[in-house]
Amino acid sequence: MGIFAYDFMIRALLGALITGAAAPAIGVYLVQRRLSLIGDGLGHVALTGVGLGLLLHRSPVIMAVLAAAAGAVIIELVRERGRTSGDIALSMLFYGGISGGVVLVNLSDAQSSRSLVTYLFGSPLTTSRQDLSVMLILGVAVLAVALLLRPWLFAVCHDEEYARVSGLPVRTLNLILAITTAVTVTVAMRAVGLLLVSALMVVPVATAQQMTRGFRATMLTAIGLGLLVSGGGVWLSTAIDTGPGATVVLLAIAGFFAVTVGVAALRAARGARHRPEPAALDDVASDAHAGA
């Protein structure tokens, strides 16, 4: 039977497509700022929110959004004031976030191992109608910020000092980008998991950069690639019976290497086409010798 035969498969596919569009849309700004790993750090902080939600019997998604947003604001303010390096701040997010999440999940009355695996590595097949509605609302919000604020966010990411001199509200834009990144992490939590979300933010962007020129073209191509690998990953996981989140990420990485090899081969072919033939070089040398 096909992938559209069951409602849960349709919800899984739609959730993956929402994630596939939202993650690269915000990831292109993170790559521009060389903050590709911040998604991992916020994913770990979001796990603390998940654990807190399970412990207090609140919505894990809502609590994850609040925890990740708070972590994003803190890391942005620390980075802005320069009190510590970005690497140290990210490490604090990595270790403190995941440790707090594991402890809180273990203290809750939920099934600890099952809950951790579901949120760490994704479980799109268990996406409910309510989960899908939340993902859709948050995904649309992320795309709206990424597309509508593109000129200003690009200016800040490309040259923060120039943007400040130009009169742009740099701090506000940085906080918007940080909070939107946190929301994106939460959107992707169900589809690919908190440990793999950064890959879907970065890999399609890195692939698109090899094929396009210009920020706008890179963003749109990355979104298209994100949709392709997300939908294709869910379909492939059902065909070969593998984890959907991991399959999506592996498909994205495979696409990156395929494009890398293809671009390298194309450049080599173009170089060989424009390289003078050995015989032609001999003729030029003979003519030069005769003229002398």
Side-chain angles (χ1 to χ4, degrees):
M1 302 181 70
I3 191 173
F4 300 108
Y6 303 100
D7 289 341
F8 72 90
M9 286 300 304
I10 296 176
R11 291 195 295 270
L13 181 61
L14 291 176
L17 291 176
I18 293 171
T19 303
I26 205 68
V28 68
Y29 297 105
L30 302 181
V31 172
Q32 181 72 23
R33 295 189 71 171
R34 294 177 175 84
L35 291 174
S36 301
L37 293 179
I38 195 173
D40 278 330
L42 293 178
H44 288 68
V45 174
L47 184 62
T48 298
V50 170
L52 191 60
L54 294 175
L55 181 65
L56 300 178
H57 301 285
R58 304 297 184 189
S59 170
V61 175
I62 300 298
M63 297 303 293
V65 170
L66 295 177
V73 171
I74 291 172
I75 190 66
E76 177 56 35
L77 293 178
V78 169
R79 184 197 66 83
E80 181 185 89
R81 285 166 173 74
R83 294 179 180 175
T84 185
S85 70
D87 289 341
I88 295 176
L90 282 176
S91 297
M92 300 282 281
L93 287 175
F94 268 62
Y95 305 126
I98 196 168
S99 299
V102 171
V103 169
L104 290 174
V105 171
N106 287 332
L107 290 176
S108 70
D109 54 7
Q111 298 181 16
S112 300
S113 60
R114 181 180 178 182
S115 298
L116 280 175
V117 170
T118 298
Y119 290 106
L120 289 177
F121 299 102
S123 182
L125 298 181
T126 62
T127 302
S128 65
R129 292 181 181 273
Q130 183 180 3
D131 292 334
L132 188 61
S133 299
V134 172
M135 292 175 67
L136 180 60
I137 293 172
L138 296 179
V140 169
V142 169
L143 287 173
V145 170
L147 295 175
L148 297 180
L149 298 183
R150 178 177 58 84
W152 299 279
L153 289 177
F154 172 75
V156 171
C157 293
H158 182 67
D159 192 335
E160 188 170 306
E161 292 301 323
Y162 179 77
R164 183 174 287 107
V165 172
S166 300
L168 292 178
V170 173
R171 172 181 290 183
T172 301
L173 290 170
N174 281 332
L175 290 176
I176 289 174
L177 180 60
I179 294 174
T180 307
T181 303
V183 173
T184 306
V185 168
T186 309
V187 171
M189 179 172 63
R190 178 67 71 180
V192 297
L194 296 173
L195 292 183
L196 299 175
V197 58
S198 188
L200 203 55
M201 286 182 173
V202 174
V203 177
V205 176
T207 306
Q209 285 179 331
Q210 301 184 71
M211 301 186 296
T212 59
R213 292 184 178 180
F215 187 82
R216 181 174 180 272
T218 299
M219 172 185 282
L220 295 178
T221 303
I223 293 174
L225 291 172
L227 291 170
L228 181 63
V229 298
S230 298
V234 171
W235 174 83
L236 184 61
S237 68
T238 61
I240 62 178
D241 193 21
T242 56
T247 306
V248 168
V249 173
L250 288 177
L251 189 61
I253 294 174
F256 170 79
F257 283 110
V259 170
T260 300
V261 172
V263 170
L266 183 61
R267 289 175 178 172
R270 288 178 177 175
R273 186 183 307 168
H274 293 92
R275 189 181 303 122
E277 297 293 333
L281 288 175
D282 292 340
D283 293 341
V284 172
S286 300
D287 292 342
H289 182 71

